Amino acid sequence: MNIRRTLLAAVASVLVGTEALAGTYGWDASDNSTLFTSFKNYMKTMQTELVGEPLYFMAQQLLVDCEASFSSSPYAWLGLVHRFCNMAESIYGPAASHPRALDNDKYARIRKALLHLRDYPMHEVSLTTDAVYPPAEQRTAFNYANEQWLNEKRKHFLAFLASPRPTGKELQINKLYSSGVVFRTKNACIGIDICYSGAFGTSEGVSELASALDVLYITHAHGDHYDNSLVTAMLNLGKPVVMPKNIFGTNKGTEVIWGTTQATKTLLGGVANTAAVMSAQGEEPCLLYHIDIDGWRIIHVGDNSHHENEPQLANYAMADVVVAPIFQGLTTLFWQISGASNPDNAQQFYLSIHENEFHHTIDGRVSYKYLYSDAGALGSTSNKYPCTLLMDNGEHIVLVK
C-alpha cells in the first residue's frame, strides 16, 4: 500500500467513527395527528419555493383538501399526499444537481422538497411494518394510492424496457424500488440488485425484464436486493447472473460466482468488463462492483459497511456513476475512491439508494430528508461531492458524455 492509500485508510477510519456516532435516521414514528401538523407546517414552507411555479396552486389545493377531510377521515391525507407527489414528480423529474448548489438551483430545491414531502406518509406510526399492503383499515387511504402508483410505475418500466436502446453514447438509468438499477447503453443492458416484486408488489413483468437484461448483478443475499424469480428467469435464458457464492444454492447454470477473492471478468463479449471486490454488510458477504459498459463506468456497493475494502475500487478508472445507500457513510466512500484515475475527465454522479424502503420499519426507513441533513450523507457543507441523482421508484434519467 502506498503513502496515499495509507492516508486514505487513516482518514476513512476517522470518518467511519464520526458517521457511526450519528446512529439514527433522524425520524421517529409519529402518531397521525402529530405528523399531520408537521406536514401542514412543511407545506407552508415548501410553498415559498413554488411561488411562480405551475405547482403552486396545486400545492395550495392539497393543503385545503387535507385540512377539510381531516376531521371526518383523519388518514385521508396520507393518500392525498402520496398522489400529489406522484403527479408532482412527473412535472419535476430527476435531474443532476450538486448538493451545494441548491441555493442557486430552484429546480433542484423544488425536487428536493417534493421528495421530502414523499417522506411524510411513510412515517405515520400505523405504517411501521409493511406499507405496500398494510392490513389495518386506517391505512386504506395510503394503501390504495400506493397500489395505484406501483401499477403505474410498473407499466412505465415495462414500456421503457420495450423501447429502443440508445443509438449514441447515452447512458439510460432506471431506478427500481430502493436499491435496484437498470443501466442501458447502445450495446448493453444490465441490472443490479433488482428486487422486482418488491419494486412493484407483483412478479408480473419478470420475463420481460429477464429478456431485456444481458447481465444481472447481485451484491448480497438480502431479499430487497434480489428476486429469485428473476434469477431463475435469467438462468433459464442462459444469461449470466453475477453474485456472491452464498447465494448460489440451487441456482445452477451461472458461470459467474464470486468467492472471497478479488477477480476481474469480461462479460458480453468485452462490453461489460466487471471487477468485484468481496466485502460485507455486517456478517453478510457483499460484493463491490466496478462495471464498464460501452465506456460508462459504474460502481455499486450494495449495503457495504466494511469501508476498509472500498479503496480497492480506486485501482480502476474513476466511475461515472456511483450507486450507494444514503446511510452507509458517503463521505467515507467518496474519499476512499478519490484516488481513481480519471482518463477522460469524466464527471462523476452519485445515485442515492435505499430511501423510504417500504418493508423496513420506520426506525430503518431512511428518509430523503436524512440525505441532506446528516453530515455522513450529503449534509456536510465542507465535503466535496459529485453531482447527485435523486430518483424515486420507477423513474429514469439519461446521461450523455
Side-chain angles (χ1 to χ4, degrees):
M1 178 179 287
N2 61 28
I3 294 176
R4 176 173 174 77
R5 291 284 181 268
T6 304
L7 289 174
L8 282 172
V11 173
S13 66
V14 174
L15 288 170
V16 170
T18 302
E19 288 156 6
L21 293 177
T24 177
Y25 298 144
W27 198 322
D28 295 328
S30 298
D31 65 87
N32 190 57
S33 180
T34 301
L35 190 63
F36 182 64
T37 298
S38 177
F39 151 73
K40 289 192 297 181
N41 292 333
Y42 180 74
M43 279 296 295
K44 293 171 183 176
T45 300
M46 190 179 80
Q47 280 186 285
T48 62
E49 290 286 358
L50 297 175
V51 173
E53 295 291 320
L55 209 59
Y56 177 82
F57 292 106
M58 299 178 199
Q60 191 176 48
Q61 187 62 50
L62 170 67
L63 191 53
V64 170
D65 291 343
C66 289
E67 290 181 316
S69 64
F70 191 76
S71 59
S72 59
S73 302
Y75 293 92
W77 74 277
L78 298 174
L80 291 172
V81 170
H82 199 22
R83 287 189 182 90
F84 177 84
C85 290
N86 301 344
M87 177 274 298
E89 287 180 12
S90 68
I91 300 174
Y92 297 89
S97 62
H98 196 279
R100 302 280 75 83
L102 290 174
D103 290 342
N104 302 313
D105 189 341
K106 185 175 182 179
Y107 188 99
R109 292 199 306 272
I110 293 173
R111 172 73 178 177
K112 173 189 170 186
L114 289 173
L115 291 174
H116 180 19
L117 184 62
R118 173 78 80 187
D119 293 335
Y120 276 87
M122 295 297 294
H123 288 81
E124 202 277 330
V125 68
S126 68
L127 299 178
T128 190
T129 53
D130 185 352
V132 179
Y133 293 108
E137 183 178 349
Q138 64 190 25
R139 308 174 200 172
T140 301
F142 178 89
N143 182 36
Y144 184 57
N146 192 56
E147 188 173 356
Q148 287 181 315
W149 177 60
L150 292 176
N151 285 335
E152 178 184 342
K153 291 297 185 181
R154 177 175 53 82
K155 291 176 183 177
H156 287 174
F157 177 64
L158 294 177
F160 163 78
L161 292 178
S163 66
R165 290 184 181 181
T167 56
K169 296 183 179 180
E170 299 90 351
L171 176 68
Q172 297 175 339
I173 307 174
N174 200 303
K175 183 179 176 182
L176 298 178
Y177 195 35
S178 68
S179 301
V181 192
V182 172
F183 294 98
R184 289 205 312 180
T185 62
K186 180 178 180 180
N187 297 300
C189 180
I190 68 170
I192 310 176
D193 275 10
I194 296 176
C195 175
Y196 187 90
S197 59
F200 301 119
T202 176
S203 60
E204 183 181 351
V206 165
S207 61
E208 289 92 333
L209 176 54
S211 296
L213 292 178
D214 296 308
V215 183
L216 173 65
Y217 296 85
I218 302 170
T219 61
H220 63 293
H222 285 173
D224 55 339
H225 289 258
Y226 78 107
D227 190 316
N228 275 326
S229 61
L230 178 57
V231 172
T232 300
M234 290 287 292
L235 296 179
N236 286 341
L237 292 173
K239 294 184 176 182
V241 180
V242 189
M243 55 187 170
K245 189 174 183 179
N246 68 319
I247 299 180
F248 186 56
T250 59
N251 291 321
K252 305 297 182 182
T254 182
E255 297 179 357
V256 191
I257 303 294
W258 249 278
T260 58
T261 58
Q262 179 181 346
T264 301
K265 292 184 180 291
T266 299
L267 307 169
L268 298 180
V271 175
N273 297 307
T274 305
V277 176
M278 181 57 73
S279 195
Q281 179 188 13
E283 298 300 319
E284 183 69 45
C286 180
L287 286 171
L288 315 179
Y289 289 115
H290 187 289
I291 306 163
D292 187 324
I293 55 171
D294 280 340
W296 287 94
R297 298 177 295 274
I298 300 158
I299 283 176
H300 196 305
V301 300
D303 291 350
N304 176 58
S305 58
H306 289 207
H307 295 290
E308 62 271 19
N309 295 322
E310 291 170 349
Q312 295 183 56
L313 295 171
N315 293 327
Y316 306 95
M318 189 190 90
D320 300 287
V321 181
V322 179
V323 186
I326 63 178
F327 56 80
Q328 287 287 32
L330 300 182
T331 53
T332 300
L333 173 61
F334 295 137
W335 179 257
Q336 298 274 43
I337 64 177
S338 64
S341 62
N342 187 4
D344 55 4
N345 296 314
Q347 181 179 15
Q348 192 168 77
F349 297 89
Y350 162 60
L351 175 58
S352 64
I353 57 175
H354 254 302
E355 309 93 340
N356 284 338
E357 186 174 345
F358 295 145
H359 291 296
H360 280 192
T361 56
I362 289 178
D363 61 357
R365 188 174 295 158
V366 192
S367 66
Y368 285 100
K369 175 185 177 182
Y370 175 87
L371 180 62
Y372 279 94
S373 61
D374 187 85
L378 300 178
S380 171
T381 58
S382 59
N383 287 303
K384 294 182 179 180
Y385 298 106
C387 284
T388 299
L389 305 175
L390 292 182
M391 298 176 66
D392 209 345
N393 187 17
E395 291 190 318
H396 72 273
I397 194 170
V398 179
L399 301 181
V400 181
K401 282 190 178 181

